[in-house]
Amino acid sequence: PDVTRKFLELNKLELIVRSHEVKEGGYEVEHNGQLVTVFSAPNYCDQMGNKGAYVRFNGKDMVPHFTTFDAVSHPNVKPMQYANQFMWGGL
């Protein structure tokens, strides 16, 4: 928390928002509310069971508003079924 506070003060910021770390509830607020981690991939790698989330900042207040969501079933299609055939040299 002290490192986060010092970084924010040095850079004249109020909040750090980061991603790419699995969070069970889809997001986590830490370091006295100054550090937010958001992870948008629910049930990461089809095995973690975590929620996904995204954050919005509305208007001038810049207060974070979080929305979480669960994973849904995969469609019954082969991997890369809709990839452009030219991408693979016409194979």
Side-chain angles (χ1 to χ4, degrees), residues 8-80:
L8 292 170
E9 288 174 1
L10 179 67
N11 292 283
K12 297 181 174 78
L13 299 170
E14 295 179 16
L15 179 68
I16 298 170
V17 179
R18 66 189 190 130
S19 64
H20 261 31
E21 182 179 332
V22 177
K23 295 297 177 184
E24 185 67 28
Y27 72 96
E28 187 171 75
V29 179
E30 304 173 276
H31 297 201
N32 299 317
Q34 296 177 316
L35 176 67
V36 173
T37 303
V38 180
F39 195 73
S40 62
N43 196 26
Y44 186 61
C45 293
D46 291 332
Q47 61 187 0
M48 298 303 291
N50 62 290
K51 289 185 175 283
Y54 63 88
V55 60
R56 289 176 308 145
F57 294 90
N58 293 332
K60 295 180 182 180
D61 68 4
M62 292 305 288
V63 173
H65 300 274
F66 301 96
T67 300
T68 61
F69 51 91
D70 294 310
V72 297
S73 299
H74 292 285
N76 189 19
V77 296
K78 297 176 187 173
M80 302 299 289

Side-chain angles (χ1 to χ4, degrees), residues 75-91:
N76 189 19
V77 296
K78 297 176 187 173
M80 302 299 289
Q81 179 173 335
Y82 297 107
N84 185 338
Q85 290 183 11
F86 296 109
M87 186 170 130
W88 305 108
L91 296 175

